Amino acid sequence: MIVPGSSSQLLAAALAEETGRPLATATYDRFPDGERLAAVPEFDGREAVVVATTDSDEAWVELLQLQDAVREAGAEHVTTVIPYMGYARQDESFGEGQPVSARAMAQAIGTGTDRVVLINPHEPAVGEFYPVPVEAVDAASVLAAPLSALRDPLFLAPDQGAVEIAATVRDAYGSGETDHFEKHRDRETGAVDLTPSDAAVAGRDVVVVDDIVATGSTMSEAVDVLTDRGAERVVAVCVHPVLVGNATTKLRAAGVDRIVGTDTVERGCSVVSVAPALAEALATDALAGEG
Ligand code: R5P
């Protein structure tokens, strides 16, 4: 059965449809003291695929509970799909006395599962923190589908780290150039400073592609530079539209034409699904626990 975390209900349903597997109805409750209780009252099966984006601390707790609940209900094999893995950007200790948070989360989750599937993790190396086999699925090519009739398009990565993902979206779109900016982020304030390339953007449609839009600082800074330079339309595209706080407003204020994301984080702009890419990954023998 496919078991949804509360933040991934639409994606889990899409995955159930895509794979033909039954969808479990999970429940998400709270006790008066604030403690959570996620459960799967009618779980029935030998194999569970728990699908849960961990974009909040609550979601991590819920995921641990769902993993344990399906074992308790008789699952012999558990696959954990984390469409968007929170804490993945804390993949090293950035200062004295700081934890490697991604490792701590991975080790906790790893105790309740046989396998993990991640979608476009910020750094693929984060998979090495899990004590079980991990597959990282690259679903970025789906982001090209909602883009149509772009004028002389430029696919732009706002920093070096997004160069590959921008190329993937460009290739899936089928035409256009690629380029990237350089980024510096002040760790104290979170402020982003971009050094633009000298690409000519006037009169062109520019698609800015990143893996994550969180506070929107990176993306809005890029949109701002591009609109200043006369880009015709600027479309913001990302795999994980986390969009915390006022991120959407910042993007609109900077002049973005459209925000496009996937359903790894379920938001209004999640117009394409990673379910087909996930279904393909789950179809492999190794992931189905049949190997
Ligand atoms: C960082 O390297 C990532 O690729 C994204 O650029 C970053 O996580 C976006 O964060 P924010 O939206 O807070 O600027």
Side-chain angles (χ1 to χ4, degrees):
M1 292 186 100
I2 308 279
V3 178
S6 59
S7 306
S8 296
Q9 296 181 60
L10 294 174
L11 174 56
L15 185 59
E17 201 169 315
E18 197 73 41
T19 57
R21 295 178 189 219
L23 179 67
T25 304
T27 58
Y28 320 105
D29 293 314
R30 280 186 102 132
F31 289 102
D33 62 0
E35 285 187 358
R36 289 179 178 267
L37 177 63
V40 201
E42 286 164 14
F43 182 82
D44 181 26
R46 283 191 313 113
E47 193 199 337
V49 179
V50 183
V51 183
T53 266
T54 52
D55 57 344
S56 66
D57 290 353
E58 290 84 349
W60 282 106
V61 174
E62 191 183 278
L63 173 54
L64 289 169
Q65 290 181 322
L66 290 174
Q67 288 178 325
D68 204 68
V70 294
R71 291 260 192 227
E72 194 63 23
E76 291 163 14
H77 190 274
V78 180
T79 296
T80 299
V81 177
I82 309 182
Y84 167 69
M85 179 186 164
Y87 286 92
R89 289 180 291 171
Q90 293 186 45
D91 55 355
E92 56 184 278
S93 175
F94 293 104
E96 208 180 332
Q98 289 192 15
V100 181
S101 302
R103 181 179 59 202
M105 298 319 215
Q107 286 176 351
I109 291 303
T111 62
T113 192
D114 298 290
R115 296 181 188 278
V116 170
V117 181
L118 304 173
I119 300 185
N120 292 92
H122 182 58
E123 289 290 344
V126 84
E128 291 163 19
F129 291 141
Y130 288 87
V132 292
V134 173
E135 172 159 348
V137 174
D138 181 1
S141 59
V142 296
L143 290 164
L147 308 173
S148 56
L150 296 173
R151 181 171 168 184
D152 190 14
L154 175 67
F155 292 81
L156 185 103
D159 58 28
Q160 285 275 3
V163 165
E164 246 179 69
I165 213 165
T168 300
V169 178
R170 182 252 165 240
D171 290 349
Y173 182 76
S175 65
E177 292 179 332
T178 54
D179 200 354
H180 71 274
F181 287 174
E182 299 290 337
K183 176 168 89 177
H184 172 76
R185 188 193 294 270
D186 185 323
R187 284 212 170 273
E188 294 293 307
T189 64
V192 166
D193 186 35
L194 292 181
T195 309
S197 69
D198 51 13
V201 298
R204 302 176 75 178
D205 286 341
V206 183
V207 181
V208 188
V209 188
D210 209 345
D211 58 340
I212 305 168
V213 176
T215 65
S217 297
T218 304
M219 192 58 91
S220 59
E221 191 65 28
V223 173
D224 206 31
V225 169
L226 292 162
T227 45
D228 265 9
R229 293 182 167 202
E232 178 73 16
R233 284 189 304 167
V234 184
V235 183
V237 162
C238 65
V239 178
H240 309 296
V242 181
L243 296 171
V244 292
N246 62 357
T248 305
T249 308
K250 276 156 74 173
L251 287 167
R252 290 287 176 218
V256 77
D257 183 74
R258 191 176 175 200
I259 307 168
V260 171
T262 79
D263 53 359
T264 61
V265 188
E266 296 177 2
R267 299 282 188 259
C269 66
S270 303
V271 292
V272 278
S273 182
V274 299
L278 265 181
E280 203 176 306
L282 291 171
T284 64
D285 284 355
L287 282 168
E290 294 156 14

